[in-house]
Amino acid sequence: MKQILIFIAISLIAFTCHCQQFELLYDHYGFSNDGGAISRVDSGFFTTHLASYPILGFTTLIAYFDDQGILLWDTSLTSSTEEFSQSNWNTNILDTQNEQEKWVIGNYASQGENGNLPFLQKFNVNGTAMELIILDTLATQSPYTYGGIVNDLGIFIMCRNSANNKLMIIHCNSEGEYLEHYEYDTDLLFHAQCIVDVGDGFIVGGWNYANQTDANNNDAQQYIRKFSYDGESQWTNTLAYGDNGNYGAVGIVALDNGNYLFGGTKLIDNISTQPLIGELDATTGDTLWTKLFFDGEVEYDPNNLSTFNSINRLHGFKKLADGGFLGVGECRHDIIPDSAFGPLDNAALMMKLDSEYNLLWKRIFVPEGYAELDASPAQCQLNDFVENEDGSITALGRVYMYTGSGPQGGYIQDSYIIRVDSFGCLIDGCEVGMVEHETNQLLSVYPNPTAKAVTIEFPYFDDWRAAIFNANGQLVYQTQIENKIKTTIDLQGLPSGFYMLRCFSGHQADFTHAIIKQ
């Protein structure tokens, strides 16, 4: 393993974080691997990775890390289970009836055979491979697995029937034994991305094409569908944007009002990609509203680095315990001079929303040494995350870059694991800020730290609203400021600690700044 520093952001103010955190590249003996899914179990993190071996081809790698990011064990499906010759992408982790065990589900394929089958492989926290179930009853459909849920009724696995591109739901009992399956038409080339248990049924999310013309033009539409537990389809939501595509929902959560919130990504003019959220009516599935983030800079100009916010894409989206929401994925930022991708390089993205769907902060993460690389294609992204009991976040993804000395022909292709606090702060002493997404003008906030009051100087006269959130993302203060460029806020009534200040103007400007109250 290589311990590395991972944090890049426009800094607004420095302060010390008080939580155990780690950041690492998981190398696995020089072989390439990509982080896929992460789950909290016992006092550590259970993870799956797509690994590539020179002779064996692709397989699934299972690893277990403790709270400090120390690798306790790892094993591949190929080495721990002789029946496996290879296992492809989209491997997920599901709960079992035993808190010390997890199901790993994915796609099994035998050497010399075409097609693939869903499998369920149980592991305990010590790395022991236990029951293996291959659903060979479905051999003629050759289902491709994307995810699953577990509840009192058993296990529901979301697949795509490779023979006819239909959505397939496989129902197994709690021991992983096949019970039944259901198939549904989804128009053209359905790409499943998430399945969520919502208490009275389950919802699947992804994207597809409405017709062949849309497929030819890459005009994908978001596809969300709700089912009862017995497989009855209750409603379907297809959200499209005319000439613009939609990469579909990567996460769906139940809201306190009974409706559902989806998180995904919109494609704009086949150039810009931006995070998209929206609320769905629980009864009809109708879209009630949508909100697009970072859409103020959709004109992508590779010669103008101020437009780096034209590329932001989510790969994971979940609700947090404090009522807010977190998305992880990838973005573009000017990091590597003269890189093969042009002036903008791929970096890992994390963004947090409050309970009213306002952006609290956006963070960009890259590995140490990323900026000093020679010209090369480089990718860094986050795919999945879990929230810890202390409010911190542990996220898993991948790094792919050419160093000239990397173990895979000069390249590094490794899983990427980070842990941040509720402000997105990665390590002790890190600088906290956000990449401005609508303007380069910043707030001036002083004195900071402060024991009594803080003065805010705005970049221009306007009607402003200031809101202050504590480290848990809870709103603790807000005020309206009419037609001013400067104001003072008394903080003596707030406990000592770290806070996030957000200021909104009548012209939709949005600024974020960290504050330390002594």
Side-chain angles (χ1 to χ4, degrees):
M1 290 187 299
K2 298 184 281 285
Q3 298 292 330
I4 60 174
L5 169 67
I6 307 175
F7 186 84
I8 293 271
I10 294 178
S11 61
L12 301 182
I13 185 168
F15 64 89
T16 301
C17 302
H18 298 283
C19 60
Q20 291 180 324
Q21 299 166 330
F22 65 86
E23 59 285 338
L24 59 92
L25 285 182
Y26 173 42
D27 190 355
H28 190 61
Y29 307 110
F31 296 118
S32 63
N33 74 90
D34 296 342
I38 182 170
S39 178
R40 183 87 196 195
V41 59
D42 204 13
S43 58
F45 305 97
F46 197 91
T47 60
T48 62
H49 314 256
L50 176 68
S52 177
Y53 293 93
I55 298 177
L56 297 174
F58 292 108
T59 187
T60 296
L61 181 66
I62 316 297
Y64 185 69
F65 300 87
D66 69 9
D67 270 331
Q68 284 70 49
I70 298 174
L71 177 67
L72 299 183
W73 56 261
D74 60 8
T75 183
S76 72
L77 289 177
T78 304
S79 60
S80 62
T81 307
E82 293 182 359
E83 288 88 346
F84 275 90
S85 60
Q86 57 182 306
S87 173
N88 297 322
W89 192 239
N90 294 322
T91 306
N92 285 264
I93 306 169
L94 302 180
D95 292 333
T96 71
Q97 294 177 316
N98 187 330
E99 294 182 356
Q100 301 299 305
E101 299 170 353
K102 293 287 184 179
W103 285 114
V104 174
I105 67 169
N107 305 290
Y108 164 86
S110 297
Q111 277 185 336
E113 295 184 9
N114 296 323
N116 55 99
L117 293 170
F119 75 85
L120 300 95
Q121 170 73 70
K122 188 180 291 185
F123 284 87
N124 63 23
V125 294
N126 298 317
T128 302
M130 304 170 70
E131 293 93 333
L132 169 65
I133 296 177
I134 299 174
L135 301 179
D136 51 9
T137 302
L138 303 170
T140 57
Q141 290 92 341
S142 188
Y144 199 84
T145 304
Y146 289 91
I149 60 171
V150 176
N151 59 28
D152 293 340
L153 298 176
I155 303 170
F156 295 87
I157 303 175
M158 176 178 63
C159 301
R160 175 171 56 86
N161 185 328
S162 299
N164 57 22
N165 283 328
K166 290 184 177 181
L167 169 65
M168 176 185 288
I169 302 296
I170 302 172
H171 184 198
C172 301
N173 64 20
S174 60
E175 299 302 319
E177 299 168 335
Y178 171 83
L179 296 177
E180 58 192 339
H181 73 276
Y182 317 100
E183 291 189 21
Y184 312 89
D185 287 323
T186 57
D187 296 320
L188 296 177
L189 201 60
F190 175 61
H191 288 257
Q193 298 195 93
C194 63
I195 178 170
V196 181
D197 193 338
V198 292
D200 61 346
F202 55 87
I203 300 178
V204 302
W207 58 271
N208 70 336
Y209 298 114
N211 50 58
Q212 189 60 52
T213 300
D214 286 347
N216 294 337
N217 296 329
N218 197 30
D219 292 332
Q221 65 180 4
Q222 177 174 282
Y223 184 94
I224 300 176
R225 195 163 181 172
K226 184 179 180 183
F227 303 90
S228 63
Y229 291 125
D230 60 5
E232 181 182 353
S233 178
Q234 297 184 341
W235 50 254
T236 301
N237 177 290
T238 53
L239 183 63
Y241 287 92
D243 295 333
N244 294 318
N246 189 314
Y247 285 146
V250 299
I252 301 168
V253 297
L255 298 175
D256 293 340
N257 63 8
N259 291 332
Y260 309 114
L261 185 77
F262 70 82
T265 304
K266 177 182 176 182
L267 174 64
I268 304 171
D269 298 329
N270 288 319
I271 296 176
S272 173
T273 58
Q274 303 297 349
L276 176 75
I277 65 170
E279 184 176 350
L280 304 180
D281 183 275
T283 303
T284 64
D286 293 340
T287 302
L288 301 179
W289 56 263
T290 62
K291 183 174 183 178
L292 189 67
F293 294 87
F294 317 125
D295 59 333
E297 298 181 46
V298 297
E299 295 296 330
Y300 177 71
D301 179 0
N303 298 311
N304 181 357
L305 298 183
S306 67
T307 65
F308 63 86
N309 261 319
S310 63
I311 306 294
N312 295 278
R313 182 171 181 176
L314 295 183
H315 296 296
F317 182 81
K318 300 175 185 177
K319 187 176 182 179
L320 301 175
D322 63 13
F325 307 88
L326 193 81
V328 298
E330 58 185 298
C331 64
R332 293 286 176 88
H333 194 77
D334 182 32
I335 301 168
I336 305 174
D338 303 319
S339 77
F341 280 179
L344 304 183
D345 306 297
N346 195 275
L349 161 70
M350 185 178 293
M351 57 182 288
K352 184 176 181 179
L353 312 180
D354 64 19
S355 58
E356 297 180 348
Y357 319 117
N358 299 306
L359 180 69
L360 285 176
W361 46 256
K362 172 188 175 183
R363 302 283 181 259
I364 296 174
F365 304 95
V366 296
E368 184 180 24
Y370 200 88
E372 287 74 40
L373 295 175
D374 293 332
S376 69
Q379 298 178 9
C380 185
Q381 67 187 56
L382 295 173
N383 296 321
D384 194 16
F385 69 91
V386 292
E387 183 179 14
N388 305 308
E389 291 183 359
D390 62 358
S392 64
I393 301 295
T394 303
L396 172 69
R398 71 162 178 169
V399 167
Y400 173 79
M401 59 187 180
Y402 181 78
T403 65
S405 59
Q408 297 105 36
Y411 285 85
I412 289 175
Q413 183 172 335
D414 291 324
S415 297
Y416 182 59
I417 308 175
I418 64 174
R419 187 170 179 175
V420 302
D421 67 10
S422 60
F423 277 161
C425 181
L426 184 64
I427 59 172
D428 286 349
C430 77
E431 294 184 340
V432 169
M434 69 172 292
V435 177
E436 292 296 321
H437 60 278
E438 291 185 358
T439 176
N440 291 325
Q441 295 175 296
L442 302 178
L443 295 175
S444 177
V445 179
Y446 59 88
N448 197 3
T450 180
K452 296 182 179 180
V454 65
T455 297
I456 307 170
E457 289 190 9
F458 305 106
Y460 49 83
F461 280 95
D462 205 339
D463 293 333
W464 295 90
R465 180 168 71 90
I468 297 177
F469 300 84
N470 63 18
N472 295 321
Q474 298 168 322
L475 178 67
V476 296
Y477 176 87
Q478 62 179 338
T479 185
Q480 296 290 134
I481 305 142
E482 296 182 0
N483 196 28
K484 289 186 178 181
I485 198 170
K486 183 177 180 180
T487 192
T488 298
I489 296 177
D490 186 357
L491 302 180
Q492 293 185 85
L494 296 179
S496 299
F498 306 113
Y499 295 88
M500 189 68 75
L501 168 69
R502 296 194 68 221
C503 295
F504 312 86
S505 80
H507 292 88
Q508 306 304 312
D510 188 348
F511 300 97
T512 304
H513 207 297
I515 298 175
I516 303 175
K517 170 60 167 54
Q518 294 177 326

